[in-house]
Amino acid sequence: MKVFRYVSDLGDLKSALSEAFELKQDHYKFQTLGRRKTLLLIFFNNSLRTRLSTQKAAMNLGMNVIVLDVNQGAWKLETERGVVMDGDKSEHLLEAVPVMAQYCDLIGVRTFARFESREADYTEEILNQFIKYSGRPVFSMESATVHPLQAFADLITIEQYRRAARPKVVLTWAPHPRALPQAVPNSFAEWMRAADVELVITHPEGYELDPQFVGDAKVEYDQMKAFEGADFVYAKNWSCPGVSCPENYGQVLSRDMSWTVDKKHMAVTNDAFFMHCLPVRRNMIVTDDVIEAPTSLVIPEAANREISATVVLKRMLETL
Ligand code: AN0
Ligand code: CP
């Protein structure tokens, strides 16, 4: 595997899942595969889980790891070609990427949507420059429009806890004070459609996700109706994707607190498990009692980030 952005990059999903469950049994099963190989993790944005779980995964495989926080100590990077660099940016990505590639074998990149232009975000401008100019296998650690390591971990978690052969999984929008990317819900919808689940997406009008990720999944604007009989509730805030309202791309259109996932919502489900990728704002996205209930999977979900990262790194190492 040379690039990891979409569920299709993994090939057969069932075999990727069985590899994940093998690794859950023994995190160190392939502990010599990454010997004398170096992973470079580049963060343009903050992270707790991705940073730690991906480093841990690399160490499980015997790799060396270098982590670079671009905004803390590196030169400020220009990302657009053709600009006169007379501002505060000292170095261009066009030199920085091939230089970074000299010191590593695999590259992970975290680069959030910037909300300056829908087109720039949805063509994954920054991630693609790493793919094009590094000559190394590159994986997204949440880029402008996708978060595949998260969605893979979410799928592992659903496989681990499902009680029905084909569970009902509800992706629900929930309120948040700041504009957040669409990467997590995009990938979640994409991966759930590739899996054997019934996916229902619910959000206020104007928050329609990009059709390339939603496909033919059911969209239900009545949140309570969507929750009826759910086996898993996956909450996430996202800003306006600009599908039905291009001029509102990246904006907060609603702060409607009736969308906060609380006991009343969970009561109409099939005793559903609660999921969120974290970090989560309590009593905005979800109430304390729901996230603290025994049916909350947020911690096992975060634990599975180490597993999804190990599978992805293993597959990249195998094609070096
Ligand atoms: C980010 C987001 O919503 O994309 C990261 C989630 C994994 N969340 C925040 O910035 C709070
Ligand atoms: N879920 C997730 O990716 O968390 P971080 O932003 O802390 O890495």
Side-chain angles (χ1 to χ4, degrees):
M1 190 165 59
K2 296 288 184 200
V3 175
F4 180 62
R5 282 174 292 189
Y6 303 115
V7 65
S8 55
D9 295 325
L10 274 187
D12 180 50
L13 195 50
K14 284 215 164 75
S15 73
L17 277 170
S18 66
E19 213 166 289
F21 282 96
E22 248 174 72
L23 277 160
K24 270 177 86 69
Q25 293 298 317
D26 177 6
H27 294 207
Y28 297 97
K29 188 163 181 193
F30 304 99
Q31 64 185 347
T32 57
L33 188 68
R35 192 170 162 262
R36 297 192 175 194
K37 300 291 181 214
T38 299
L39 171 65
L40 174 59
L41 302 179
I42 299 162
F43 289 91
F44 287 85
N45 303 92
N46 295 342
S47 166
L48 185 151
R49 277 142 293 272
T50 304
R51 175 186 301 267
L52 298 180
S53 62
T54 313
Q55 284 191 57
K56 177 67 166 66
M59 294 189 289
N60 294 348
L61 295 164
M63 299 187 81
N64 299 315
V65 191
I66 308 174
V67 183
L68 178 68
D69 288 292
V70 172
N71 300 320
Q72 284 164 24
W75 301 107
K76 266 202 168 171
L77 294 177
E78 178 58 63
T79 56
E80 211 172 306
R81 194 176 170 279
V83 295
V84 177
M85 289 174 59
D86 61 355
D88 62 340
K89 293 173 181 157
S90 310
E91 178 152 28
H92 204 289
L93 208 58
L94 289 169
E95 282 78 48
V97 170
V99 167
M100 292 190 271
Q102 302 307 305
Y103 313 131
C104 64
D105 302 284
L106 305 179
I107 302 180
V109 185
R110 167 158 287 202
T111 175
F112 285 175
R114 296 178 169 189
F115 300 134
E116 285 162 14
S117 132
R118 185 180 201 278
E119 202 205 329
D121 287 344
Y122 270 76
T123 53
E124 290 281 0
E125 257 184 0
I126 309 290
L127 187 73
N128 280 331
Q129 294 200 51
F130 277 90
I131 294 167
K132 193 166 167 195
Y133 299 114
S134 72
R136 303 285 182 228
V138 172
F139 59 97
S140 165
M141 297 196 293
E142 184 171 343
S143 48
T145 61
V146 290
H147 195 358
L149 286 170
Q150 181 65 49
F152 188 15
D154 296 334
L155 178 57
I156 296 167
T157 311
I158 287 170
E159 272 299 302
Q160 193 182 337
Y161 286 89
R162 80 183 152 84
R163 296 170 293 217
R166 193 163 184 274
K168 177 175 176 181
V169 177
V170 177
L171 165 62
T172 181
W173 180 93
H176 190 279
R178 292 180 42 219
L180 294 186
Q182 294 112 41
V184 170
N186 283 347
S187 285
F188 187 75
E190 178 202 1
W191 285 66
M192 287 304 119
R193 278 174 46 235
D196 201 11
V197 307
E198 178 198 346
L199 173 66
V200 177
I201 304 173
T202 183
H203 54 71
E205 284 190 37
Y207 280 98
E208 290 76 17
L209 293 165
D210 196 287
Q212 75 178 102
F213 300 106
V214 173
D216 57 3
K218 185 175 164 59
V219 176
E220 169 60 67
Y221 292 102
D222 180 335
Q223 192 192 23
M224 281 310 239
K225 207 164 152 199
F227 272 50
E228 282 170 15
D231 296 296
F232 293 88
V233 166
Y234 192 95
K236 182 73 183 83
N237 173 268
W238 62 89
S239 61
C240 174
V243 171
S244 52
C245 47
E247 67 286 359
N248 292 338
Y249 174 64
Q251 291 181 8
V252 175
L253 303 179
S254 168
R255 289 191 170 83
D256 184 350
M257 296 289 280
S258 73
W259 283 75
T260 302
V261 178
D262 61 10
K263 265 179 151 166
K264 191 169 69 350
H265 286 84
M266 296 306 279
V268 304
T269 69
N270 180 26
D271 197 18
F273 290 109
F274 175 82
M275 297 177 70
H276 189 280
C277 63
L278 306 182
V280 72
R281 297 218 183 198
R282 280 176 174 230
N283 305 308
M284 288 290 306
I285 301 282
V286 58
T287 55
D288 290 321
D289 47 8
V290 171
I291 199 170
E292 289 169 3
T295 42
S296 168
L297 297 182
V298 295
I299 306 304
E301 193 181 347
N304 282 331
R305 290 293 307 274
E306 178 184 339
I307 305 300
S308 65
T310 312
V311 174
V312 168
L313 292 176
K314 172 183 176 280
R315 290 191 167 200
M316 289 196 148
L317 285 169
E318 282 166 347
T319 52
L320 280 182

